[in-house]
Amino acid sequence: MVLKSSERKHGDIAYAPSPLDGIREIPRLDQQLCFALYSAVNRVTRLYRPVLAALGLTYPQYLTMLALWERSPRTVGALGEALELDSGTLTPLLKRLEKQNLIVRRRDPADERRVMVELTEAGRALRARAAEVPASLACRIAMPPSDLMELRDRVTRFKHHLVDEADADCVSSAGVVAQSR
Amino acid sequence: MVLKSSERKHGDIAYAPSPLDGIREIPRLDQQLCFALYSAVNRVTRLYRPVLAALGLTYPQYLTMLALWERSPRTVGALGEALELDSGTLTPLLKRLEKQNLIVRRRDPADERRVMVELTEAGRALRARAAEVPASLACRIAMPPSDLMELRDRVTRFKHHLVDEADADCVSSAGVVAQSR
DNA sequence: ACATATTCATTCGTACACAATTTAATTGTC
DNA sequence: GACAATTAAATTGTGTACGAATGAATATGT
């Protein structure tokens, strides 16, 4: 019942042979960079959850508060740029923060299209309690700080190398997104 | 209206002073490793979206198919272990794949608690078309393969250093999860 | 001036992600 | 062989993520 599976496309991908029934192509799940990132983020979110629950926040809400603690009256668009989220994601998230009295949202009088998001007193006050979060998380990550910084810089560099628009030269660094060893 | 903000907790975090109104504590958003991971994954998912849409798959569905292409009759639990997802996430996802006729789900006769997930003919056939995905993605990531592999290994190592249970020694590598420069 | 285009946020629909709960089947223990 | 403990998925409820469509406000071109 096994497919023919001999359709080699155009020698475009370097891969290790699959252990299963002669079918080739596509690197294994555990060798793919993108899966590593994907599962790492899920795990990190799970790590943050109990710590942030004490503050009544989810991880994306915590990130939003971090952004607001940096600069407080801010438009939805500016927040979205900082967090790299679109307004369709932020609007309901901000409504939940508003329901918790951590922020207020109001139209910018100067430009009624914009919605200004601003910390409330309670929102600013939460910062003191949130100051313990990084330490709580750190004790759950048994890795030298230098390695963590190195990783952060590499992830950031990776982000900057993602081609947003379809410039599509598509010949350069062939199938190594999901690379084999 | 600015808060007192002079509540230094217990010299637990190394941080750079915030540019804003004297408030300290908590590293900036763009200096946090976890945010870098978080936003990188969102971007990667957006990159995959149009490519996978041609196959009728989302990114988590694609990962699930990758796992099944590696080993096909598999329990929901085994899939969840491979993908690091729980059944609450997997069950509806698998139902959608089943609706597309890519997989079938049936109870294991040997143990009626288990649900076996198996590729259909169409599911196996999809592999040939999916073989182009890594190359399509690679052309959107302008980075040397060696850097990508290095990053993958570092992310994987990072994952392995996350403390799942509350072993909580909590003194070692203080607040560097979200580190400052 | 004014029709057109653009911008900004909201709404809607689809699809994760996970904790907590529920249901069903199996295993241990006696 | 009954029955408590355990295990495996499914279900429920909350909260993201995002594309596409919507609608209101501002910018623009002639």
Side-chain angles (χ1 to χ4, degrees), chain B residues 3-72:
Chain B
L3 267 200
K4 283 189 304 173
S5 81
S6 45
E7 290 197 62
R8 288 289 274 104
K9 285 294 169 190
H10 24 260
D12 47 3
I13 306 168
Y15 54 85
S18 165
L20 193 70
D21 60 314
I23 300 182
R24 290 194 197 80
E25 321 264 9
I26 313 179
R28 286 163 46 99
L29 196 57
D30 59 301
Q31 290 175 356
Q32 299 211 11
L33 166 61
C34 295
F35 172 66
L37 290 168
Y38 167 81
S39 58
V41 165
N42 285 341
R43 283 171 86 122
V44 164
T45 306
R46 284 195 287 271
L47 270 194
Y48 267 99
R49 196 183 308 277
V51 176
L52 293 178
L55 305 180
L57 297 176
T58 63
Y59 185 60
Q61 287 170 7
Y62 171 69
L63 293 177
T64 304
M65 292 303 289
L66 282 181
L68 288 170
W69 286 325
E70 279 181 35
R71 178 154 37 295
S72 177

Side-chain angles (χ1 to χ4, degrees), chain B:
Chain B
M1 206 65 74
V2 177
L3 267 200
K4 283 189 304 173
S5 81
S6 45
E7 290 197 62
R8 288 289 274 104
K9 285 294 169 190
H10 24 260
D12 47 3
I13 306 168
Y15 54 85
S18 165
L20 193 70
D21 60 314
I23 300 182
R24 290 194 197 80
E25 321 264 9
I26 313 179
R28 286 163 46 99
L29 196 57
D30 59 301
Q31 290 175 356
Q32 299 211 11
L33 166 61
C34 295
F35 172 66
L37 290 168
Y38 167 81
S39 58
V41 165
N42 285 341
R43 283 171 86 122
V44 164
T45 306
R46 284 195 287 271
L47 270 194
Y48 267 99
R49 196 183 308 277
V51 176
L52 293 178
L55 305 180
L57 297 176
T58 63
Y59 185 60
Q61 287 170 7
Y62 171 69
L63 293 177
T64 304
M65 292 303 289
L66 282 181
L68 288 170
W69 286 325
E70 279 181 35
R71 178 154 37 295
S72 177
R74 235 158 138 157
T75 66
V76 171
L79 262 180
E81 202 167 336
L83 298 166
E84 300 184 38
L85 295 174
D86 72 353
S87 66
T89 301
L90 232 34
T91 296
L93 187 154
L94 293 171
K95 283 183 180 173
R96 286 186 277 272
L97 290 179
E98 190 171 40
K99 202 173 296 175
Q100 306 216 337
N101 272 309
L102 297 174
I103 63 168
V104 287
R105 299 181 313 139
R106 59 168 168 281
R107 294 275 165 188
D108 181 351
D111 183 343
E112 293 280 348
R113 289 172 307 180
R114 296 177 199 273
V115 168
M116 301 299 297
V117 180
E118 188 168 13
L119 289 171
T120 61
E121 204 62 27
R124 274 188 292 273
L126 190 63
R127 186 177 198 170
R129 293 215 287 144
E132 292 179 14
V133 171
S136 296
L137 255 290
C139 73
R140 305 292 232 92
I141 304 180
M143 212 177 194
S146 59
D147 281 8
L148 295 173
M149 288 173 56
E150 172 78 19
L151 176 55
R152 176 200 59 191
D153 292 340
R154 283 180 182 270
V155 172
T156 302
R157 194 152 53 242
F158 169 73
K159 268 175 53 180
H160 294 334
H161 283 280
L162 297 182
V163 180
D164 279 326
E165 271 317 302
D167 303 332
D169 269 353
C170 276
V171 266
S172 51
S173 60
V176 228
V177 193
Q179 62 262 39
S180 48
R181 242 178 257 276

